[in-house]
Amino acid sequence: MSKDPAVPSGCPAPELSNMLVLDSVGQDQADIVLLADDLHVCFVTLNRQWDGVVRPVFLTDTIDDLAAKLPQTVFVDIGSADKPDNFAVLLGAVGQVTMRGDTFHIYGPLHQSMVDLGSGRLATFVQYRFAVPAQGAQIGSDLALCTASGGCHPVAPE
């Protein structure tokens, strides 16, 4: 992925110093965090489409705004709309993040990475997706991302 006109203005060109790979599946799929600076982030989902071309889908916002929201869903237009990527930002040193309320194991493993933003600010970036297509699956209303300290953040609106 290079910086080109299709990349939103909030997303920097990927470099080793500003990029975190949260998840990847060979050369067909990857979920990446690009830090524009200590305030702005760009989540990128790369997927190989049916024509063989790897195309990115972007989600940009400030780190604080994303931390205040429910996890954000990125839909990919390649026939995998039933397995969208979900991204969340948790502020502080949160330790291992787990999914509460997923009794039917609908979601695959959570992938996370913590970053020191400077000035004593830490952020943990989390990515997850459906482990299986969600056709008719029961998703509990208590579904939440929970930190090692026991704090939980709802995944869906209450």
Side-chain angles (χ1 to χ4, degrees):
M1 183 178 80
S2 60
K3 188 68 173 169
D4 65 42
V7 177
S9 62
C11 293
E15 299 175 10
L16 290 178
S17 62
N18 70 356
M19 180 173 60
L20 301 167
V21 178
L22 293 176
D23 187 25
S24 66
V25 179
Q27 295 182 358
D28 293 329
Q29 185 175 3
D31 296 296
I32 299 168
V33 174
L34 295 174
L35 292 168
D37 52 35
D38 62 339
L39 301 174
H40 300 88
V41 66
C42 181
F43 288 108
V44 185
T45 294
L46 299 169
N47 284 282
R48 183 170 310 280
Q49 297 190 355
W50 302 121
D51 60 6
V53 176
V54 175
R55 291 193 176 88
V57 178
F58 299 92
L59 169 66
T60 63
D61 208 335
T62 67
I63 293 167
D64 289 335
D65 282 351
L66 286 170
K69 296 177 183 177
L70 294 171
Q72 301 295 295
T73 302
V74 176
F75 290 95
V76 182
D77 186 23
I78 60 166
S80 64
D82 56 347
K83 294 177 86 169
D85 287 332
N86 299 280
F87 294 100
V89 177
L90 304 175
L91 297 178
V94 300
Q96 183 67 38
V97 179
T98 58
M99 181 75 74
R100 179 189 74 194
D102 188 17
T103 55
F104 295 104
H105 304 288
I106 295 168
Y107 290 101
L110 281 87
H111 303 276
Q112 70 181 71
S113 186
M114 187 177 74
V115 174
D116 183 342
L117 300 169
S119 301
R121 290 187 66 210
L122 301 171
T124 299
F125 300 97
V126 180
Q127 177 274 332
Y128 60 97
R129 70 175 62 87
F130 287 113
V132 295
Q135 301 164 351
Q138 295 293 320
I139 299 175
S141 61
D142 65 337
L143 199 63
L145 295 176
C146 297
T147 64
S149 65
C152 292
H153 306 272
V155 168
E158 295 182 39

